Amino acid sequence: MGEARNRNIRIGIVDNDPYALKMFGALIERMSSDFAVIWTCDLGAVAISRCLSPTKRPDVLVTDMSMGDVPGTEVCRAIRTKTPEVGLVGVTSYALASFHDEAARCGAQALVGKTDLNGIALAIRNAAQGLSTNELVLGDEGSGNSLSFMDAATAYAVLEDTSYAHRGALSGKERDTLRMYADGSTTKEIAERLGISVATVATFERRALAKLGARSRAHAISICVKRHEI
């Protein structure tokens, strides 16, 4: 997605209000000569399908949070569990606090008010590079929000792993984390090798310990060695 700096940023938009969708698409294209709206749709399910299609995938999806068929948060989750290659920007006419934490959990890189055109442009540019935008929720409205938006790669790693974890076994990244600790790697080295943050490494370790019923990292490694899992 870093190539977006050298070419148009290809944007998909989903909003269940067709009139707002048409107007919003025109506004986004006028924000910058770098922005190219390649498609719009009014169904979350259609947006998910297009974002997962090799031929229709945009660099950034701008999604309304309140939609009839699939909520914007679930659109983000469905895409982010499958790929880190599409930047996800949520927009809403409601108070940002209404959707902020759930949007962050579901893998969005930003949440912006629909009237904040400068904020939308900034969020799109950042998301096209896989980056998050956390500075748009300010003042009293943002004070109650406990979660930060993750970059696309970290969100993908977390959500992909969570999806696997629901099946009850150690996920691949949990095993990799314990294996690298067993080999003597530091948390920072593991983060660099997996392309994730130090905090995400810690999350994988905590999940592994909880699943194994282990008292410590060393105990978890011992259990995995005995089970031939690492």
Side-chain angles (χ1 to χ4, degrees):
M1 287 191 298
E3 293 177 2
R5 290 180 175 178
N6 302 318
R7 57 173 170 77
N8 283 344
I9 296 174
R10 299 172 302 136
I11 301 165
I13 306 173
V14 56
D15 191 315
N16 66 341
D17 182 336
Y19 298 103
L21 183 61
K22 183 176 181 179
M23 182 174 65
F24 202 46
L27 280 173
I28 287 178
E29 282 217 315
R30 286 202 293 267
M31 287 177 185
S32 172
S33 59
D34 293 339
F35 292 175
V37 175
I38 60 172
W39 52 257
T40 64
C41 65
D42 58 5
L43 292 173
V46 173
I48 293 167
S49 176
R50 290 180 180 179
C51 285
L52 298 180
S53 165
T55 59
K56 296 181 180 179
R57 177 183 295 167
D59 297 310
V60 178
L61 175 69
V62 178
T63 177
D64 185 24
M65 289 288 99
S66 303
M67 293 188 291
D69 67 324
V70 183
T73 51
E74 290 307 311
V75 169
C76 291
R77 184 190 297 277
I79 295 167
R80 188 56 75 232
T81 56
K82 298 295 185 182
T83 178
E85 296 300 319
V86 180
L88 300 173
V89 174
V91 293
T92 182
S93 298
Y94 298 97
L96 298 185
S98 301
F99 300 102
H100 179 278
D101 281 7
E102 188 61 19
R105 289 189 192 97
C106 290
Q109 274 62 75
L111 178 65
V112 196
K114 284 187 175 180
T115 59
D116 184 0
L117 301 185
N118 289 334
I120 291 170
L122 173 64
I124 288 173
R125 288 192 179 282
N126 285 345
Q129 300 175 63
L131 304 176
S132 59
T133 305
N134 283 294
E135 61 266 34
L136 298 176
V137 181
L138 305 173
D140 292 339
E141 184 182 2
S143 61
N145 295 319
S146 58
L147 299 180
S148 294
F149 291 103
M150 296 177 282
D151 62 80
T154 299
Y156 171 65
V158 170
L159 288 173
E160 181 196 34
D161 227 65
T162 300
S163 176
Y164 190 101
H166 287 164
R167 298 197 287 271
L170 283 185
S171 71
K173 290 188 178 65
E174 288 164 355
R175 282 195 301 273
D176 288 343
T177 296
L178 291 180
R179 182 182 297 111
M180 284 186 268
Y181 275 131
D183 290 340
S185 298
T186 66
T187 301
K188 183 178 179 181
E189 289 169 341
I190 294 171
E192 290 173 350
R193 288 177 64 183
L194 294 179
I196 57 179
S197 69
V198 168
T200 304
V201 174
T203 297
F204 291 153
E205 182 186 6
R206 284 196 302 271
R207 287 182 188 160
L209 265 64
K211 289 179 183 179
L212 295 169
R215 298 182 299 274
S216 65
R217 180 188 300 166
H219 187 203
I221 291 170
S222 175
I223 292 171
C224 286
V225 169
K226 289 177 181 177
R227 294 180 180 179
H228 304 288
E229 291 195 42
I230 62 173

